[in-house]
C-alpha cells in the first residue's frame, strides 16, 4: 500500500467503492462539491455548518471506481496559530495531525486506509473522529515554523477550498471576551457549547492502561454547563 501522503495512486488489495464513499459524504455534510482530480487525488470540498475542508480520495491504480485511501485537509487562516497550539493538537487529536505554514496558517490533516469491506456506519465513526479533531483545533486556535510536507497541503486547489478564516469582530479577528465560544458558535452552530474535556485533556482516555474517560465517555469533548466561559 502506498501511503496517501505519497501523492500517488495506490496499489492495494483492499479498497472501498468510490460511489459508496461519496454517498456517505453527501449524507453527512451540508455541502459536497467535486473539485476535480489532481495528481492522483479525487478532491471534494465538504461543508459542515460554516466549516470548510477537503476530502481527498486516492484511486486504486487501474480501478478509478475503487478507493484505497482517504485524506482530510482543513486550513485555518487568521488565527495567528502558534507552535504550542499545533503541538497541543498533535498530542490530543484522534486521527489528525497539524502543522504550521509560513504566515501563521495551520493545516489539519488526516489519512485513513481502506481495510475490509466498506461499512457506512463504521465510516461515519471516522467522520465523527475527524469532526472531534476539527473541534480540538478550534479550541487550540482560540487560546521555527515550517510548511506542512503532506502532498495534499501542496495542492493549490485543496488549499483554496479548505480555508477557514478566523471569525471577525468589527473587521478584525475576534480577540478578548469569549474568542473560543465565538469560534465554536461560528463554525459549529449548535455545538458552540462543547469544550475539550479537562479530565483527560481531550484524549478520551486516562491512566497508564488508557481506560475510557468517564467524564466524557471517551469522546474527548463535553457539553459546557450553563454560564461557563
Amino acid at each position: 500500500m502506498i501511503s496517501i501522503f505519497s501523492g500517488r495512486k495506490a496499489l492495494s488489495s483492499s479498497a472501498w467503492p468510490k460511489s459508496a464513499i461519496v454517498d456517505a459524504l453527501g449524507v453527512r455534510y451540508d455541502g459536497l462539491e467535486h473539485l476535480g482530480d489532481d495528481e492522483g487525488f479525487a478532491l471534494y470540498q465538504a461543508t459542515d455548518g460554516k466549516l470548510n475542508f477537503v476530502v481527498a480520495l486516492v484511486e486504486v491504480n487501474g480501478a478509478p471506481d475503487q478507493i484505497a485511501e482517504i485524506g482530510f485537509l482543513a486550513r485555518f487562516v487568521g488565527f495567528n496559530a502558534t507552535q504550542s497550539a499545533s503541538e497541543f493538537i498533535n498530542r490530543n487529536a484522534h486521527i489528525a495531525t497539524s502543522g504550521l505554514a509560513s504566515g501563521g496558517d495551520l493545516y489539519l490533516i488526516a489519512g485513513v486506509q481502506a481495510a475490509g469491506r466498506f461499512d457506512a456506519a463504521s465510516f461515519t465513526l471516522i467522520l465523527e473522529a475527524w469532526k472531534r479533531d476539527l473541534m480540538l483545533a478550534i479550541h487550540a486556535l482560540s487560546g521555527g515554523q515550517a510548511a506542512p510536507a503532506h502532498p495534499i497541503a501542496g495542492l493549490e486547489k485543496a488549499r483554496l477550498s479548505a480555508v477557514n478564516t478566523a471569525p471577525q469582530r468589527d473587521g478584525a479577528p475576534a480577540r478578548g471576551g469569549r474568542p473560543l465560544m465565538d469560534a465554536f458558535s461560528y463554525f459549529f452552530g449548535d455545538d458552540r457549547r462543547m469544550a475539550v474535556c479537562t479530565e483527560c485533556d481531550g484524549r478520551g482516555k486516562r491512566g497508564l492502561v488508557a481506560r475510557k474517560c468517564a467524564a466524557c465517555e471517551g469522546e474527548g469533548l463535553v457539553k459546557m454547563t450553563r454560564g461557563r466561559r
Side-chain angles (χ1 to χ4, degrees):
M1 170 82 67
I2 297 177
S3 169
I4 191 170
F5 300 128
S6 69
R8 301 178 180 178
K9 288 189 176 183
L11 297 171
S12 175
S13 58
S14 182
W16 291 337
K18 186 176 187 178
S19 59
I21 295 172
V22 174
D23 286 346
L25 293 172
V27 170
R28 172 62 182 79
Y29 297 120
D30 301 324
L32 187 70
E33 178 185 356
H34 183 211
L35 300 173
D37 301 334
D38 198 333
E39 298 183 18
F41 295 103
L43 301 176
Y44 294 81
Q45 182 186 40
T47 303
D48 190 4
K50 292 185 179 180
L51 191 67
N52 301 310
F53 55 90
V54 166
V55 181
L57 308 182
V58 179
E59 300 169 349
V60 173
N61 193 24
D65 61 335
Q66 297 295 308
I67 301 301
E69 300 180 67
I70 303 170
F72 301 86
L73 167 69
R75 176 186 172 197
F76 296 93
V77 176
F79 285 89
N80 296 319
T82 63
Q83 187 64 40
S84 61
S86 179
E87 291 172 354
F88 172 84
I89 295 169
N90 291 335
R91 286 196 306 270
N92 298 293
H94 291 71
I95 63 172
T97 184
S98 70
L100 292 175
S102 58
D105 293 359
L106 183 135
Y107 289 77
L108 190 71
I109 298 178
V112 177
Q113 295 185 349
R117 179 176 297 180
F118 179 82
D119 177 75
S122 297
F123 185 64
T124 297
L125 295 178
I126 294 174
L127 300 182
E128 289 305 308
W130 168 245
K131 181 173 182 177
R132 288 196 296 271
D133 287 349
L134 288 167
M135 295 178 74
L136 187 74
I138 293 291
H139 173 88
L141 289 169
S142 298
Q145 299 179 341
H150 305 81
I152 296 176
L155 303 177
E156 182 179 8
K157 189 180 295 183
R159 289 199 309 273
L160 294 176
S161 299
V163 171
N164 300 282
T165 304
Q168 304 289 301
R169 180 183 297 156
D170 298 328
R175 303 182 189 283
R178 300 192 302 161
L180 171 60
M181 296 298 288
D182 289 345
F184 268 103
S185 176
Y186 181 79
F187 287 116
F188 294 110
D190 290 341
D191 287 326
R192 61 188 178 277
R193 300 198 66 77
M194 296 295 291
V196 172
C197 177
T198 57
E199 295 295 322
C200 63
D201 205 19
R203 294 180 178 88
K205 296 181 179 180
R206 300 180 65 188
L208 296 176
V209 294
R211 289 193 177 92
K212 182 185 291 188
C213 175
C216 65
E217 298 183 345
E219 293 296 321
L221 298 165
V222 295
K223 290 282 188 181
M224 294 188 71
T225 57
R226 186 175 298 277
R228 180 179 173 181
R229 296 292 185 265

